[in-house]
Amino acid sequence: MASETYMPGPVCLIENMEGQLVVKQEALQILSAITQPMVVVAIVGVCSTGKSYLMNQLAGKKKGFSVGSTVQSHTKGIWMWCVPHPEKPGHTLVLLDTEGLGDVEKGDDKNDTQIFALASLLSSTFVYNTMNKIDQGAIDLLHNVTELTDILRARTLPDNGVKDADDIGNFFPDLVWTIRDFYLSLERDGQLMTADEYLQNSLKMKKGSDQRTQSFNLPRLCIQKFFPTRKCFVFDSPTHQKISQLETLKEDDLNFQFVQQMAEFSSHIFNKSKIKTLPGGIKVNGPCLENLVLTYVNAINSRDLPCMENAVMTLAQRENAAAIKRALSHYDQLMGQKVQMPTETLQELIDLHRSSEGEAIEIFKKNSFKDEDQSFQKELQTLLDAKQNDICKQNEKASSDCCSALLQDIFGPLEEAVKQGLYSKPGGHNLYLQKTKELMTKYHQQPRKGIQAEEALQKYLKSKESVRNAVLQTDHALTAKEKEIEEARVKAEAAKAEAESAVVIHRQMQQMMEEKERLHQQQIRQMEIEIANILAQQHRNLAHLLQVLNQLFQPRVVFLSFLYKDESMKQCGEMKSTRVARGRDCGIRPWGVHPSSTVTKYMV
């Protein structure tokens, strides 16, 4: 059957044959050909309460699903009718009508529970049809079937990573509770209420922890959890005539209130029912629904299902697991809001963890169910401890990453300077250490480095030891060579200075000699001048003396030999005797005159 092919009437999908469920191949072939997304509406209720009439109305037909007119149940197993969705083009509306619950001909209500569970598993909207009012029996039946449904779902569907209770709740269909021939007044404490408020009040839990209260609350809690979306419709009696004639009656023959209520019910189903969706967001089409039918029926027929006595244990397991998930989610939310990694200290992180841990445990306690031995709370504590370890590791990594980036930013220029050889010189090692110390101070001044700050710094410095050693070795090599060069330079400068000093001394001595010579020559010139002056004076004196002698001693002529008193006069040579006139009465007495000599010496 193509997706758009009209299906004229319902066919049997699952036949109930003496307690054994059998999938009909004709129905599977129809499903395998439908590729459109499916909105699956199933109805369950006590037999002969008008379930089939409601489904025929949704199909837009007066006839289709068999409407029972006797005490004998007509619908056996589950019947299927696929029609085009009246409000959603490109979608198929799948209507599932089930055999009535409590059929006395079966004698075993176990088959009722299986049909009930299959209807809830296969549908996206689950219509629970009851009579007159909501009572404890109807609630207990819905609870028991829900327990079996959850177990069957868990046994048959792949995990698909679905572990949260909210996702499990989304797997279950929306609940539409229909109450036929409702005879009560919708009011409470004198105040009118809606049908939805009536349902909500019926599912309201009591306060208390005693066994009776827990027994009362358990089914209600289960229904609330696994049917998060709930709707209630109440129907007046459709007519005063017998129900066997209902499908033959025209709309004008029906009660106005019933017609209006039926229209509201149909509108809700058409507009609010969702596409059947599996965990992981998988939208169900014909082949997918076919696989679901086979999977569930095979699981039921294998008898591999636990007894219903374990329902409380199952619910406790589920509710406490959900409470753990909720507590962990709250913890994650709080830590995500409070923690800014990296924290300055480990104690800061531990304080935030303890605060969030306390709130998470309180969330668990408020949502836990029958955790009498606190095994689930212990499990929560173990998970919280694991989260603490994990967040501490995350904090360490955040600190390490932050410090690594900061170290690279601060010490990067130094590394580049080393590569460029700026420290490859004598004294470069000391300069390198001084610069490293300055950069370490700058690093320590940076805030929010986290608990790995010092360890990251030491690791970085240790990783750069080879660089520091290389700078040191270069420094030593260049310093030794520089010392040799310096010593040679000092020697050369000393030799140069010595040579320059010798030149200066030689020049000074030469200047002294020249000065001495100059002074000597000056003295000689002075002496010559003095001698010349003396000689000139002597000549003048002599001339004068001669003049006097000439006047005194005439006409005798004598030779005078003059003796000089000092050696300097003698150096001028002896003067020739001069003949002078000597008079006998001149008064001059000769000195050293030989008596027979004509030369007379006079002392000058």
Side-chain angles (χ1 to χ4, degrees):
M1 170 184 174
S3 298
E4 63 276 2
T5 301
Y6 174 69
M7 187 176 174
V11 298
C12 183
L13 174 63
I14 301 171
E15 186 177 5
N16 185 5
M17 299 178 63
E18 298 180 357
Q20 185 73 17
L21 302 180
V22 179
V23 181
K24 306 299 286 185
Q25 291 300 316
E26 178 187 0
L28 294 181
Q29 290 177 1
I30 293 173
L31 288 177
S32 64
I34 302 177
T35 58
Q36 293 179 344
M38 289 182 162
V39 177
V40 184
V41 180
I43 191 167
V44 174
V46 179
C47 61
S48 302
T49 55
K51 302 187 306 299
S52 299
Y53 178 81
L54 290 179
M55 300 304 280
N56 288 336
Q57 292 297 311
L58 293 177
K61 300 294 181 180
K62 286 185 175 293
K63 294 184 179 181
F65 293 110
S66 177
V67 178
S69 58
T70 67
V71 294
Q72 182 183 16
S73 175
H74 279 216
T75 305
K76 298 296 182 181
I78 300 177
W79 285 66
M80 176 186 74
W81 196 353
C82 300
V83 298
H85 198 289
E87 299 293 339
K88 297 179 179 180
H91 294 67
T92 296
L93 177 63
V94 181
L95 303 173
L96 300 179
D97 189 16
T98 64
E99 65 179 84
L101 305 176
D103 186 357
V104 295
E105 295 182 1
K106 291 186 293 186
D108 185 5
D109 61 358
K110 180 179 180 180
N111 196 240
D112 283 348
T113 306
Q114 294 173 350
I115 295 295
F116 203 143
L118 278 174
S120 65
L121 284 167
L122 296 174
S123 63
S124 55
T125 296
F126 182 75
V127 181
Y128 186 32
N129 194 61
T130 62
M131 291 297 293
N132 306 132
K133 63 179 181 178
I134 298 176
D135 56 23
Q136 187 63 38
I139 291 176
D140 290 338
L141 177 59
L142 181 60
H143 162 232
N144 291 337
V145 172
T146 303
E147 289 290 348
L148 178 63
T149 301
D150 185 35
I151 296 171
L152 185 59
R153 179 206 63 80
R155 292 291 181 88
T156 54
L157 283 183
D159 186 18
N160 287 335
V162 179
K163 297 185 180 296
D164 193 279
D166 292 337
D167 289 336
I168 296 174
N170 291 335
F171 169 80
F172 281 89
D174 296 342
L175 174 64
V176 177
W177 197 316
T178 57
I179 308 174
R180 308 297 294 276
D181 295 345
F182 186 70
Y183 62 83
L184 300 176
S185 297
L186 285 175
E187 63 178 51
R188 179 181 176 82
D189 298 331
Q191 299 293 326
L192 293 178
M193 64 171 56
T194 65
D196 291 337
E197 291 172 341
Y198 172 61
L199 174 60
Q200 185 65 25
N201 185 68
S202 300
L203 298 177
K204 186 178 180 180
M205 293 182 289
K206 295 181 179 180
K207 295 182 179 180
S209 58
D210 59 278
Q211 185 62 40
R212 184 176 180 180
T213 302
Q214 287 192 8
S215 297
F216 178 86
N217 290 338
L218 178 61
R220 288 166 173 79
L221 175 63
C222 182
I223 292 171
Q224 290 180 16
K225 293 294 183 182
F226 291 99
F227 292 108
T229 302
R230 300 178 294 275
K231 182 69 178 176
C232 184
F233 290 94
V234 295
F235 294 90
D236 291 343
S237 178
T239 179
H240 296 295
Q241 303 181 36
K242 292 183 179 181
I243 194 171
S244 60
Q245 301 173 346
L246 186 59
E247 62 181 355
T248 63
L249 295 178
K250 296 180 180 179
E251 186 174 308
D252 293 340
D253 297 327
L254 300 174
N255 289 336
F256 175 76
Q257 291 292 337
F258 177 81
V259 174
Q260 186 176 9
Q261 291 162 353
M262 183 61 68
E264 292 176 356
F265 167 75
S266 299
S267 176
H268 176 83
I269 295 297
F270 294 150
N271 292 284
K272 300 298 182 180
S273 295
K274 300 175 293 186
I275 299 171
K276 176 65 177 176
T277 305
L278 298 180
I282 301 174
K283 294 183 178 181
V284 171
N285 58 12
C288 185
L289 186 60
E290 176 188 2
N291 291 331
L292 288 177
V293 171
L294 292 172
T295 300
Y296 295 141
V297 171
N298 290 336
I300 291 175
N301 289 336
S302 68
R303 310 293 182 181
D304 187 24
L305 291 175
C307 61
M308 291 306 298
E309 284 76 8
N310 294 327
V312 174
M313 184 182 299
T314 302
L315 181 63
Q317 177 79 22
R318 182 174 59 247
E319 289 302 307
N320 290 325
I324 289 176
K325 294 295 183 182
R326 192 172 290 107
L328 293 176
S329 177
H330 185 72
Y331 171 87
D332 291 338
Q333 181 181 3
L334 289 178
M335 292 298 285
Q337 293 172 351
K338 295 178 180 180
V339 177
Q340 183 180 357
M341 294 187 184
T343 58
E344 288 288 357
T345 63
L346 179 60
Q347 189 61 45
E348 177 185 348
L349 184 63
I350 291 176
D351 291 343
L352 292 174
H353 161 76
R354 288 176 178 171
S355 174
S356 301
E357 179 185 56
E359 292 191 33
I361 292 175
E362 288 301 317
I363 291 291
F364 169 80
K365 289 180 178 179
K366 290 180 181 178
N367 292 276
S368 62
F369 179 75
K370 292 182 72 63
D371 186 23
E372 296 174 354
D373 59 354
Q374 295 188 336
S375 59
F376 287 94
Q377 185 171 339
K378 292 176 183 177
E379 179 183 350
L380 172 62
Q381 187 63 57
T382 300
L383 294 173
L384 288 172
D385 291 343
K387 282 187 173 291
Q388 179 186 3
N389 293 334
D390 182 63
I391 202 168
C392 285
K393 291 179 181 178
Q394 293 179 28
N395 190 49
E396 289 181 3
K397 185 177 185 305
S399 175
S400 179
D401 293 344
C402 174
C403 292
S404 296
L406 183 60
L407 287 168
Q408 187 58 42
D409 181 59
I410 293 177
F411 285 86
L414 177 60
E415 295 179 9
E416 188 63 28
V418 172
K419 291 179 181 179
Q420 294 177 1
L422 298 183
Y423 294 94
S424 298
K425 58 183 179 181
H429 182 251
N430 288 334
L431 294 176
Y432 178 83
L433 293 179
Q434 181 180 357
K435 188 63 177 180
T436 300
K437 186 175 181 180
E438 293 176 2
L439 296 180
M440 288 172 60
T441 301
K442 182 178 179 181
Y443 172 80
H444 285 131
Q445 291 173 347
Q446 297 298 317
R448 299 204 67 81
K449 297 184 292 295
I451 59 178
Q452 293 293 104
E454 192 60 31
E455 183 176 348
L457 176 61
Q458 296 305 319
K459 285 183 178 179
Y460 175 82
L461 295 177
K462 186 174 182 60
S463 69
K464 298 302 176 183
E465 282 186 357
S466 59
V467 176
R468 181 177 62 82
N469 292 334
V471 172
L472 178 60
Q473 292 175 2
T474 302
D475 186 0
H476 285 169
L478 293 177
T479 301
K481 188 174 182 179
E482 185 184 53
K483 287 181 179 179
E484 294 179 1
I485 296 173
E486 181 65 16
E487 290 176 359
R489 185 186 65 79
V490 170
K491 290 180 180 180
E493 289 183 354
K496 182 179 178 182
E498 186 177 356
E500 290 177 351
S501 178
V503 171
V504 170
I505 293 172
H506 177 72
R507 185 181 298 114
Q508 290 177 348
M509 290 181 65
Q510 186 176 3
Q511 290 176 351
M512 289 176 61
M513 293 293 294
E514 292 176 353
E515 181 65 18
K516 186 175 180 180
E517 180 67 22
R518 185 185 66 79
L519 293 175
H520 177 66
Q521 294 297 329
Q522 184 178 358
Q523 289 176 354
I524 293 174
R525 288 194 297 272
Q526 185 65 30
M527 288 175 61
E528 290 176 349
I529 292 173
E530 291 179 354
I531 292 171
N533 290 335
I534 292 172
L535 292 175
Q537 184 64 36
Q538 287 180 352
H539 285 300
R540 286 193 297 270
N541 292 336
L542 182 58
H544 177 68
L545 179 59
L546 290 176
Q547 184 179 3
V548 172
L549 291 176
N550 286 332
Q551 293 177 359
L552 293 178
F553 301 99
Q554 291 182 4
R556 186 180 177 183
V557 178
V558 295
F559 291 95
L560 299 176
S561 175
F562 297 91
L563 298 178
Y564 298 90
K565 294 179 181 179
D566 55 32
E567 194 66 25
S568 61
M569 297 292 291
K570 187 177 181 179
Q571 289 177 0
C572 297
E574 296 180 353
M575 298 183 60
K576 294 181 178 182
S577 299
T578 305
R579 287 187 298 179
V580 296
R582 186 172 82 175
R584 294 181 178 179
D585 298 326
C586 64
I588 298 175
R589 294 183 182 272
W591 171 77
V593 180
H594 196 280
S596 60
S597 175
T598 61
V599 179
T600 302
K601 293 183 181 181
Y602 294 89
M603 180 67 66
V604 179

